[in-house]
Amino acid sequence: MPSRWCPTPEQVRILEEMYRGGIRNPNPSQIQQITAHLSLYGKIEGKNVFYWFQNHKARDRQKLRKKLIIRHQQLLRHQQPQNHHHLLHFLEPPPPPPPVLLQLFHYNNSSGFLPQISNDTAKWRVDYHLPDQRREMDKYYATVMRTNGSDWRMMMMLDVSPTSTTTTTPPCCNIVNNKPLKTLELFPITATGLNDDKCTTSLLDSTSN
Amino acid sequence: MPSRWCPTPEQVRILEEMYRGGIRNPNPSQIQQITAHLSLYGKIEGKNVFYWFQNHKARDRQKLRKKLIIRHQQLLRHQQPQNHHHLLHFLEPPPPPPPVLLQLFHYNNSSGFLPQISNDTAKWRVDYHLPDQRREMDKYYATVMRTNGSDWRMMMMLDVSPTSTTTTTPPCCNIVNNKPLKTLELFPITATGLNDDKCTTSLLDSTSN
DNA sequence: GCAAATTAATGATTTATTCAAG
DNA sequence: CTTGAATAAATCATTAATTTGC
């Protein structure tokens, strides 16, 4: 059993297609749909989809930045040093040209799930090398999804898998991944667990001093 | 209805107590317990607890950094310029002195929930101003919680609130925050929603150029 | 060819930054 | 100004590619 999700080629293909289609920060509902669909091609959970988009977007952006820097430096070589920051502003960011077509999902908005999209999209400056200055380019990519209600990302993590490893996913909320939650006892304020952070003070091994 | 959680003084007091007690990154199980307990004092969800600890830790750290910088600069003024990085190493980070006592929780580890704690805790250098170098201080704070199973953070978002606004939390997984998930239709690959990112191309307002 | 050793990709977490309500 | 909420960046960790010596 692998310790992490290993997407099938089909799954990757579909995800990339969606990405190219313009999906960047799928909302919980979208994640549910995507997960349901992709689970036809192999084991997958909502969080995998969530992470995939996060990583893919981040690394896409990263690649773009490198390209921009390289191009910038090339320009520096070919021209005299003069206010090159402005040049960068004309290097439009390739990856997500504000996509309008090929929206892959639609669903009932009646339940109030759909977030409002703030529409201050147009501005996307790059401001690359100015240190200590916010790069506006990021804002272009930045999601503006603001979920109205209280759903949030819990929903996106719900497992949808129709792939039957066990019989069927039990419909009871007290069971998560076959583990009953059992509403643990309230606050035995005695110290025992040490299950937190690295706050273990395991000063046992006296390697230092 | 407030748009965000507004903790009661009691809740804050308890949370701070826990924080001082050493809790930094409560795992899902802990979050559940905390939420359950704090819901006695007012409306609260798991994510509130989650965020509270994240923010409190981050801002604690932030304050510490400022203090360190200030003290560092004071030292710079009082002494001749000479290798002041070393000095920083003796300014031990106040907030979480590896806490051992006052562990607020314990619970059955039989279900395999408890993560192993890596025990390379002792080292915590500060390396503050060395640029391009990883600050080891962060590693001290860094959580090492690695959940074994597949629970992950879904669980932490589960609402525990016994405060009855509605009757009781319905035991069915298809209902989240009173909103039925209704298993949306699978993939009508027609374009409609535009519910994604800022990818709206709302070039309507021609404010620029 | 074929493993062990290295390196590159990429899934999963944590931390830093930002936004915005009050 | 404080702080809850959310997203993006940085990092960690594991798997896959690739290289290397035999």
Side-chain angles (χ1 to χ4, degrees):
Chain A
M1 181 188 293
S3 64
R4 72 181 199 183
W5 172 55
C6 191
T8 70
E10 268 303 288
Q11 289 175 330
V12 172
R13 190 185 58 71
I14 294 172
L15 285 168
E16 282 175 344
E17 200 171 292
M18 292 177 181
Y19 186 86
R20 277 199 307 278
I23 294 194
R24 293 292 178 278
N25 278 339
N27 60 36
S29 173
Q30 288 176 309
I31 287 182
Q32 282 235 126
Q33 292 178 77
I34 296 172
T35 305
H37 181 57
L38 292 187
S39 64
L40 298 175
Y41 300 95
K43 202 166 179 302
I44 192 173
E45 290 178 72
K47 68 174 187 177
N48 306 128
V49 174
F50 172 74
Y51 283 141
W52 191 92
F53 277 97
Q54 282 220 141
N55 282 320
H56 204 73
K57 183 169 62 171
R59 281 156 186 161
D60 207 8
R61 196 155 31 189
Q62 199 173 311
K63 265 184 263 176
L64 168 60
R65 276 195 284 246
K66 265 182 195 157
K67 265 190 207 164
L68 285 177
I69 287 176
I70 287 175
R71 234 196 285 190
H72 185 227
Q73 289 173 340
Q74 285 179 344
L75 288 173
L76 277 178
R77 258 188 288 283
H78 284 264
Q79 306 185 193
Q80 293 306 73
Q82 47 168 351
N83 219 352
H84 286 289
H85 293 312
H86 291 82
L87 292 173
L88 278 173
H89 290 198
F90 296 105
L91 302 174
E92 80 280 47
V100 195
L101 310 189
L102 196 67
Q103 285 294 322
L104 296 179
F105 302 102
H106 81 99
Y107 57 87
N108 198 335
N109 192 8
S110 61
S111 63
F113 255 121
L114 226 20
Q116 308 91 325
I117 307 285
S118 80
N119 52 7
D120 53 349
T121 305
K123 57 171 179 180
W124 55 357
R125 297 180 301 121
V126 175
D127 295 345
Y128 213 106
H129 272 161
L130 312 182
D132 292 327
Q133 179 165 350
R134 172 126 185 92
R135 287 156 296 170
E136 289 277 332
M137 185 177 66
D138 288 349
K139 290 195 178 168
Y140 170 67
Y141 293 95
T143 178
V144 201
M145 192 187 82
R146 295 270 177 271
T147 52
N148 310 351
S150 49
D151 53 309
W152 203 58
R153 73 176 63 180
M154 171 169 67
M155 173 177 161
M156 100 175 53
M157 298 312 166
L158 291 176
D159 206 343
V160 204
S161 65
T163 59
S164 56
T165 309
T166 56
T167 54
T168 44
T169 52
C172 178
C173 261
N174 284 339
I175 298 185
V176 179
N177 290 314
N178 298 329
K179 289 171 187 166
L181 292 192
K182 83 164 68 163
T183 309
L184 303 132
E185 315 85 289
L186 279 182
F187 280 68
I189 302 214
T190 53
T192 312
L194 248 328
N195 35 21
D196 206 41
D197 253 343
K198 292 187 137 178
C199 308
T200 29
T201 14
S202 62
L203 300 171
L204 313 172
D205 35 5
S206 56
T207 39
S208 60
N209 74 349
Chain B
M1 179 190 292
S3 64
R4 69 183 202 181
W5 173 53
C6 190
T8 71
E10 268 304 287
Q11 289 175 330
V12 172
R13 191 185 57 70
I14 295 173
L15 285 169
E16 281 174 346
E17 201 172 292
M18 292 178 184
Y19 187 86
R20 278 198 306 277
I23 295 194
R24 293 289 179 279
N25 279 337
N27 61 37
S29 174
Q30 290 176 307
I31 287 183
Q32 283 236 127
Q33 292 178 77
I34 297 171
T35 305
H37 181 56
L38 293 188
S39 65
L40 297 174
Y41 301 95
K43 201 166 180 303
I44 191 172
E45 290 178 71
K47 70 173 186 178
N48 305 129
V49 175
F50 172 72
Y51 281 139
W52 190 91
F53 277 97
Q54 283 222 141
N55 282 321
H56 203 72
K57 184 169 62 170
R59 279 155 187 161
D60 207 7
R61 195 154 34 187
Q62 198 173 308
K63 266 183 262 174
L64 168 61
R65 274 195 287 247
K66 265 182 196 157
K67 267 189 205 161
L68 285 176
I69 287 177
I70 287 174
R71 233 195 284 192
H72 185 225
Q73 289 174 340
Q74 286 178 343
L75 288 173
L76 278 178
R77 258 188 287 283
H78 284 263
Q79 306 185 196
Q80 292 305 73
Q82 48 167 349
N83 220 354
H84 286 290
H85 292 312
H86 292 82
L87 292 174
L88 275 174
H89 290 198
F90 295 106
L91 301 174
E92 79 280 45
V100 195
L101 310 188
L102 195 67
Q103 283 297 321
L104 296 181
F105 300 103
H106 82 97
Y107 57 88
N108 199 334
N109 190 8
S110 61
S111 62
F113 255 119
L114 226 20
Q116 308 91 329
I117 307 284
S118 80
N119 51 7
D120 53 349
T121 305
K123 57 172 179 180
W124 56 356
R125 298 180 300 121
V126 174
D127 294 345
Y128 214 104
H129 272 161
L130 312 182
D132 292 329
Q133 179 167 351
R134 172 129 185 88
R135 286 158 297 169
E136 290 278 332
M137 185 177 66
D138 287 351
K139 289 194 179 169
Y140 170 68
Y141 293 94
T143 179
V144 200
M145 191 187 83
R146 292 272 176 271
T147 53
N148 310 351
S150 48
D151 53 310
W152 203 59
R153 74 177 62 180
M154 170 168 68
M155 173 176 159
M156 99 175 52
M157 299 309 168
L158 291 175
D159 205 343
V160 204
S161 66
T163 59
S164 56
T165 307
T166 56
T167 54
T168 43
T169 51
C172 178
C173 262
N174 285 341
I175 298 185
V176 177
N177 290 315
N178 299 329
K179 291 173 187 165
L181 292 191
K182 81 162 70 166
T183 308
L184 305 131
E185 317 86 286
L186 280 182
F187 278 69
I189 302 212
T190 54
T192 311
L194 247 328
N195 35 23
D196 206 42
D197 253 344
K198 294 186 133 179
C199 307
T200 29
T201 13
S202 63
L203 299 173
L204 314 172
D205 34 6
S206 55
T207 37
S208 60
N209 75 349

